[in-house]
Amino acid sequence: MTFGNQCDEAASHAILDHALASGISFIDTADMYPASGPEQLGDTERILGRWLQGKRDDVVLATKFWGPMGPGPWQRGASRRHIMDAVEGSLRRLDVDTIDLYQIHFPDRHTPTDETLQALDDLVRQGKVHYLGCSNFPAWMLARTLGRSEVLGVSRYDCVQPRYNLLFRQFERDLFALCEHDDVAVIPYNPLAGGLLTGKHERAAPEPGSRFTLGGGQGDRYLERYWQDRLHDAVDAIRPLAGEAGMTMAQLAVAWVLANPTVTSPIVGATRPEQLDDALAAVESPMDPDLKARLDEITDEFRLTDEDR
């Protein structure tokens, strides 16, 4: 999502080069990225598509649809019309024949579930998409789509992409149990809480150029999610544990997500190649169970919803 917004094309390609050289083979994007205004719709896929030349066989490529790709009501959501238009647009911008994982970005409460599932199954049968997934689905909605897929005899959502980190743990209560039971992969985004868990932000104000200061409403969304005193208090409590463990805050945060056996692969964004090194270190040095238990205790309140509080 940073490509074309926080990173120009040269910087984006440098990040991707470093990722591939380091063994990272899964790339996730969306057709509406970099989500910074209608004039830039699709730029992230275009940047990625140019980088993919000669490298397509080396990566697992995922993208998403749902967001508005034009002014018309038929140019958004999960209707058959929009799905068919959206996949062709992504294939063209990415300059590929097939998308490995095609995901619905958010629920569409205005389109029948069966219509969406049957349209997506057609894409699988046509060979334009290998697997299907969903993002930002609550447990009850994922359970319902899995059931409808069985009834209809169509391809199901094989993975879900939730928000998940030390400061947002609500999905441990129901979604993760469903995924374990039905063997659905979990590929969470925001493992660093938009950068708050890197420990680089002062409580008085976020670092300039970070996600918290982006335009187009993105910065406001991250401020609403994470710029709260109780979250800053948790970061302050976590910081000395990272020091004791000899880990950076970012490495600690990613390692904690990886320590959950339900998690398949966390999705990490970057604005510089070296920012991926903390994630790589987290993979190479699994978290000590005692440290995870201490972190779980510090952040236990973040398993609750606002209604629970």
Side-chain angles (χ1 to χ4, degrees):
M1 192 172 77
T2 62
F3 300 166
N5 186 355
Q6 292 170 273
C7 309
D8 62 18
E9 183 155 345
S12 302
H13 286 188
I15 291 168
L16 290 162
D17 286 340
H18 184 60
L20 189 62
S22 302
I24 294 173
S25 56
F26 174 61
I27 300 173
D28 173 76
T29 189
D31 57 2
M32 64 179 289
Y33 289 166
S36 53
E39 66 282 352
Q40 286 190 280
L41 283 174
D43 278 359
T44 302
E45 286 189 332
R46 293 185 188 96
I47 289 170
L48 182 55
R50 287 188 283 270
W51 176 82
L52 278 169
Q53 299 307 302
K55 307 181 187 73
R56 179 63 183 93
D57 292 342
D58 300 323
V59 301
V60 176
L61 179 62
T63 192
K64 300 183 284 290
F65 71 93
W66 176 89
M69 297 300 289
W74 60 90
Q75 294 173 300
R76 65 195 68 196
S79 67
R80 172 175 285 273
R81 165 69 188 271
H82 182 58
I83 288 171
M84 296 304 172
D85 289 344
V87 75
E88 294 300 336
S90 286
L91 289 169
R92 181 177 62 254
R93 287 185 294 271
L94 292 165
D95 197 13
V96 296
D97 297 322
T98 305
I99 295 163
D100 295 314
L101 174 62
Y102 200 46
Q103 304 157 96
I104 178 172
H105 207 155
F106 290 92
D108 180 355
R109 300 174 188 272
H110 303 290
T111 301
T113 297
D114 289 9
E115 177 180 341
T116 299
L117 291 172
Q118 288 173 325
L120 290 170
D121 183 66
D122 285 346
L123 298 184
V124 175
R125 294 176 186 275
Q126 292 166 9
K128 295 178 179 179
V129 169
H130 287 146
Y131 298 96
L132 305 175
C134 60
S135 178
N136 297 298
F137 269 44
W140 71 265
M141 188 173 290
L142 176 58
R144 184 171 189 275
T145 64
L146 293 174
R148 292 308 300 164
S149 295
E150 291 178 1
V151 169
L152 296 169
V154 297
S155 301
R156 70 169 196 162
Y157 295 147
D158 282 310
C159 75
V160 63
Q161 187 175 147
R163 178 159 63 106
Y164 183 57
N165 54 60
L166 277 160
L167 307 179
F168 187 84
R169 298 176 52 189
Q170 297 175 15
F171 291 120
E172 291 177 0
R173 304 174 61 189
D174 50 15
L175 180 65
F176 286 9
L178 169 65
C179 291
E180 286 185 21
H181 183 271
D182 281 346
D183 196 25
V184 176
V186 178
I187 53 172
Y189 67 91
N190 264 189
L192 301 179
L196 189 64
L197 282 167
T198 65
K200 68 182 180 182
H201 296 283
E202 297 291 338
R203 194 179 295 230
E207 287 281 321
S210 69
R211 290 197 181 187
F212 293 99
T213 63
L214 292 175
Q218 291 189 70
D220 292 338
R221 182 167 62 251
Y222 276 93
L223 287 170
E224 182 181 356
R225 281 180 184 174
Y226 298 119
W227 209 263
Q228 304 171 31
D229 281 337
R230 63 191 183 90
L231 272 65
H232 282 285
D233 291 342
V235 172
D236 289 343
I238 292 167
R239 186 176 284 106
L241 298 187
E244 291 175 19
M247 306 167 75
T248 66
M249 287 283 287
Q251 180 184 345
L252 182 90
V254 176
W256 180 86
V257 171
L258 280 165
N260 187 319
T262 309
V263 169
T264 304
S265 174
I267 296 170
V268 179
T271 56
R272 300 189 308 275
E274 61 270 20
Q275 289 179 337
L276 295 174
D277 293 341
D278 287 315
L280 293 162
V283 174
E284 295 164 0
S285 303
M287 176 165 283
D288 179 82
D290 291 338
L291 175 56
K292 183 179 185 303
R294 294 170 70 187
L295 291 168
D296 287 349
E297 183 177 359
I298 290 171
T299 62
D300 185 67
E301 66 169 300
F302 303 122
R303 298 176 69 250
L304 304 177
T305 64
D306 291 338
E307 291 76 12
D308 293 328
R309 295 189 184 92

